[in-house]
Amino acid sequence: MGVIAKNMDTDSLININVLYFASLADKARCNEEKIQVPPSISLTKLYETLCQKHRFDLPQSDLRVAVNDYFAKWTDEIHEGDNVVFITPVAGG
């Protein structure tokens, strides 16, 4: 399990599951990962941190985010056990 929050007491962290699709899965070299984060982390900060970890180059403005199968706002809170998905742009025809 990855820990996003460095130098924090692990008792104060929550466990979440992050799912990756398309180019994000390619960059992360996985489709999902379980990580520990501070309970106060925003979805924006979570994505920024994952960008540094996995070298994502898609700006947040090009993505949608979902929590527990529902589209979320970037300002929504994350809770213990949540599933977070960053959704890349989709071309269709």
Side-chain angles (χ1 to χ4, degrees), residues 42-61:
S42 68
L43 290 165
T44 296
K45 182 64 176 168
L46 174 62
Y47 184 68
E48 288 172 2
T49 303
L50 292 169
C51 282
Q52 293 172 2
K53 177 180 179 183
H54 296 299
R55 301 181 191 263
F56 295 151
D57 51 10
L58 280 173
Q60 175 187 324
S61 60

Side-chain angles (χ1 to χ4, degrees), residues 9-10 14 16 24 30 44 63 85 91:
D9 178 8
T10 56
I14 61 171
I16 64 168
L24 296 181
C30 64
T44 296
L63 302 173
V85 181

Side-chain angles (χ1 to χ4, degrees), residues 28-81:
R29 296 184 178 178
C30 64
N31 293 321
E32 83 180 83
E33 67 180 325
K34 296 182 185 314
I35 59 174
Q36 293 182 317
V37 296
S40 60
I41 194 169
S42 68
L43 290 165
T44 296
K45 182 64 176 168
L46 174 62
Y47 184 68
E48 288 172 2
T49 303
L50 292 169
C51 282
Q52 293 172 2
K53 177 180 179 183
H54 296 299
R55 301 181 191 263
F56 295 151
D57 51 10
L58 280 173
Q60 175 187 324
S61 60
D62 287 355
L63 302 173
R64 296 282 313 264
V65 63
V67 177
N68 300 327
D69 300 325
Y70 292 97
F71 284 115
K73 296 177 187 165
W74 287 98
T75 55
D76 288 352
E77 292 182 10
I78 304 170
H79 299 28
E80 175 73 30

Side-chain angles (χ1 to χ4, degrees), residues 10-27:
T10 56
D11 290 339
S12 65
L13 299 175
I14 61 171
N15 298 297
I16 64 168
N17 191 44
V18 181
L19 303 168
Y20 302 110
F21 297 101
S23 62
L24 296 181
D26 292 341
K27 287 269 192 178

